Amino acid sequence: MDHHDVKNFELLRDESIIGLGDVVVDVGACHGTYTSFFSSTLGNTGKIYCVELFPENFQRLEMRFGHAKNIEFINAAISDSVGTESIYVGDSSEVHNIIGHNTSNVPNVKVGEIKSITLDKMLEDEAEIGLIKIDVEGAELKVLKGMTDVMKRTKAILIENHLDDIWPETRKILIDDNGFSCYNIEKDEDVTINSERPYQCLCRRVS
């Protein structure tokens, strides 16, 4: 857990973003930092979708949280289509992704293929989602473009933005197209049309 996670958890708690009985989604669960936070917040209530791309990370997640009855584990790439995606590995297990390069645009190494699914498909039976956390090392647009329907049923999105070149379209989807109010957690300020890319961003549906 780094200082970004600590600040994010404090904000989620202080603002009561999720509560007992909620459905939450951890896209890019990696070592389970957010799945653990969600589990401690929800207890045995609601449902947690724990989604991880890299098989070794996924196995550790199942071993760590497999006792929890309200966690569903999905070993897949969340993308903009149902099919397959390539897996590219970076310098550590935290930065593997499906876009072929790291956040500094240095090429990553392809190691295989993984099934891909959209959040629209994965969550088609959920009437409402309390929070979707997205940390996918540069593949944010692929995730957002595959959740056009479910976004309308989602109360909040916690998204980590890694690339400057896709931020304008990311902002447009969240704010202009879907009416979320977004907050730059690191700088403690609202996100506007003129804002630079916020690394950690909490977006809430405006009622």
Side-chain angles (χ1 to χ4, degrees):
M1 183 188 304
D2 63 21
H3 70 282
H4 296 293
D5 299 326
V6 173
K7 194 166 186 178
N8 290 348
F9 294 160
E10 289 175 350
L11 179 62
L12 293 175
R13 280 192 294 261
D14 291 346
E15 297 293 323
S16 300
I17 300 299
I18 60 174
L20 297 178
D22 278 350
V23 174
V24 298
V25 187
D26 188 355
V27 179
C30 195
H31 300 311
T33 301
Y34 282 79
T35 295
S36 179
F37 173 78
F38 296 152
S39 183
S40 66
T41 302
L42 299 182
N44 294 319
T45 74
K47 185 170 184 179
I48 301 166
Y49 288 86
C50 178
V51 190
E52 172 56 26
L53 165 75
F54 195 60
E56 290 182 13
N57 288 345
F58 181 77
Q59 290 169 6
R60 295 189 188 101
L61 290 165
E62 285 191 309
M63 291 177 63
R64 181 178 177 186
F65 300 106
H67 64 281
K69 303 298 185 183
N70 63 336
I71 299 180
E72 181 173 338
F73 301 92
I74 299 99
N75 183 202
I78 300 300
S79 189
D80 54 0
S81 63
V82 176
T84 60
E85 289 278 3
S86 298
I87 301 177
Y88 298 89
V89 298
D91 294 332
S92 69
S93 61
E94 290 87 0
V95 295
H96 303 332
N97 64 25
I98 61 174
I99 63 172
H101 58 81
N102 66 16
T103 55
S104 299
N105 288 310
V106 176
N108 283 345
V109 177
K110 179 179 176 179
V111 295
E113 303 282 335
I114 190 77
K115 69 177 180 181
S116 66
I117 190 170
T118 65
L119 287 182
D120 278 344
K121 179 63 177 176
M122 191 180 84
L123 303 172
E124 61 184 350
D125 294 328
E126 299 292 352
E128 183 178 73
I129 294 88
L131 173 70
I132 298 176
K133 166 256 179 182
I134 303 169
D135 181 2
V136 289
E137 299 299 318
E140 297 87 61
L141 270 181
K142 282 181 170 287
V143 175
L144 293 176
K145 288 179 178 180
M147 57 179 291
T148 55
D149 292 333
V150 79
M151 203 177 301
K152 299 176 177 63
R153 311 193 303 276
T154 299
K155 294 190 292 184
I157 297 172
L158 177 63
I159 184 169
E160 196 164 285
N161 300 290
H162 293 89
L163 301 173
D164 288 331
D165 60 342
I166 66 171
W167 165 243
E169 189 172 358
T170 300
R171 183 203 59 77
K172 179 179 181 297
I173 290 172
L174 290 167
I175 299 176
D176 299 346
D177 298 346
N178 288 281
F180 283 94
S181 174
C182 295
Y183 180 73
N184 185 329
I185 301 172
E186 196 167 23
K187 292 188 175 181
D188 295 317
E189 63 184 23
D190 292 332
V191 175
T192 70
I193 190 172
N194 298 313
S195 295
E196 295 182 353
R197 171 178 59 90
Y199 179 55
Q200 303 276 345
C201 189
L202 177 64
C203 300
R204 287 182 276 188
R205 181 160 300 286
V206 179
S207 56

